[in-house]
């Protein structure tokens, strides 16, 4: 997701803080070293020196990349395998499906695939301001895309569906905020409300960034301790951090991707107080930016089905670790 528009304004500069993940990342270094070397070897074949990328096409208000009406991501689409072939979607939708047996039986996970493939058709609706607890922002944005036109909304749905399958196979009840089955949105306040009303044991919002070329890697966004207006994240700030740390650690290990080189001071963690999806949450919740769609090397990963399966697996292992305590 681009850091422009609702829930995506540029984060204010923060002084570096050493948190619990510092030790966690240190502990992961031996296990992740081989994956990181493979990551660099593969990424170095992805193109020449990083230069300034062409700026994303912007919508009048949100400033996020806008899909073309002819872009296939403008309509609901199935998941894809590593060769881009369609995989029929799971029958579960926003209501989830009955949990099977497994170690996560009785646990509820809410997955929030960022944006919506059809948002660009509903600019009036998504530009409407909603309460995010501390102030008001636009309902939603169109999201960003790779320079070749692979939309963030397409990426988030694919990873979310893969993640759902993994968690359901372990017995969890999984609910979506949207499954490509809505004409637009939902708004950021509703996305938070869906997790709250489900009494989720964990919630995650899946995104990809739209930063400058040369900015690479993933980062997990944690809610700051906010107590202002209708927002009060104090009860879930610590548990959300624990969730985010587990996800960041497993994402490094499973995908071989490195933490962001432009946010988070190498920890893979960023704390923000300006996101309605976090400010309004009453359950443990984090966002993950899986990579930068505007960097050619990250884009090569984000558009690869095999890597997206690793991303889903990495996220799932972090969630499972958190839920098992």
């Amino acid at each position: 997701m681009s850091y422009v528009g609702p829930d995506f304004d540029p984060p204010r500069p923060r002084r570096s803080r050493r948190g619990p993940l510092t030790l966690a990342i240190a502990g992961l270094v031996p296990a992740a070293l081989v994956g990181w070397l493979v990551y660099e070897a593969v990424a170095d074949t992805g193109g020449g020196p990083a230069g300034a990328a062409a700026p994303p096409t912007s919508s009048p208000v949100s400033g996020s990349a806008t899909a073309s009406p002819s872009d296939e991501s403008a309509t609901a689409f199935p998941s894809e395998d590593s060769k881009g072939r369609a995989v029929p979607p799971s029958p579960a939708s926003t209501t989830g499906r009955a949990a099977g047996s497994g170690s996560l039986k009785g646990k509820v996970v809410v997955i929030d695939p960022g944006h919506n493939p059809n948002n660009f058709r509903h600019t009036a609706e998504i530009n409407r301001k909603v309460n995010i607890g501390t102030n008001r922002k636009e309902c939603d944005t169109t999201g960003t895309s790779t320079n070749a036109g692979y939309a963030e909304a397409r990426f988030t749905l694919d990873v979310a569906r893969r993640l759902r399958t993994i968690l359901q196979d372990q017995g969890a009840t999984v609910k979506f905020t949207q499954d490509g089955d809505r004409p637009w949105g939902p708004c950021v306040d509703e996305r938070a409300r869906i997790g709250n009303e489900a009494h989720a044991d964990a919630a995650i919002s899946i995104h990809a960034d739209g930063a400058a070329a040369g900015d690479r890697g993933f980062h997990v966004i944690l809610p700051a301790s906010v107590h202002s207006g209708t927002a009060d994240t104090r009860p879930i700030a610590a548990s959300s951090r624990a969730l985010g740390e587990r996800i960041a650690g497993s994402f490094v290990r499973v995908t071989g991707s490195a933490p962001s080189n432009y946010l988070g001071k190498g920890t893979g963690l960023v704390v923000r107080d300006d996101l309605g999806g976090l400010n309004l949450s009453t359950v443990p919740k984090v966002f993950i930016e899986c990579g930068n769609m505007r960097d050619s090397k990250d884009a090569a990963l984000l558009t690869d089905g095999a890597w997206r399966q690793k991303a889903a697996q990495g996220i799932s292992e972090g969630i499972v670790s958190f839920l098992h305590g």
Side-chain angles (χ1 to χ4, degrees), residues 1 22 39 109 151 166 248:
M1 82 185 166
T22 301
Y39 174 88
V109 178
I166 296 170

Side-chain angles (χ1 to χ4, degrees), residues 51-139:
T57 303
S58 298
S59 61
V61 175
S62 70
S64 299
T66 305
S68 163
S70 61
D71 188 345
E72 63 177 317
S73 67
T75 57
F77 47 83
S79 297
E80 300 167 343
D81 64 16
S82 61
K83 296 183 179 180
R85 295 172 298 199
V87 176
S90 163
S93 185
T94 54
T95 58
R97 80 180 183 199
S101 62
S103 64
L104 296 184
K105 185 175 178 61
K107 300 294 185 180
V108 177
V109 178
V110 169
I111 302 175
D112 176 29
H115 312 289
N116 184 309
N118 291 309
N119 272 355
F120 81 97
R121 300 179 185 274
H122 297 274
T123 55
E125 290 89 345
I126 68 170
N127 288 335
R128 176 176 58 85
K129 297 291 183 69
V130 298
N131 177 30
I132 67 162
T134 55
N135 55 39
R136 298 181 70 83
K137 283 188 176 180
E138 289 82 2
C139 157

Side-chain angles (χ1 to χ4, degrees), residues 8 74 101 114 155 203 250 267 272:
F8 316 120
S101 62
F155 169 83
S250 61
T267 66
R272 293 180 60 177

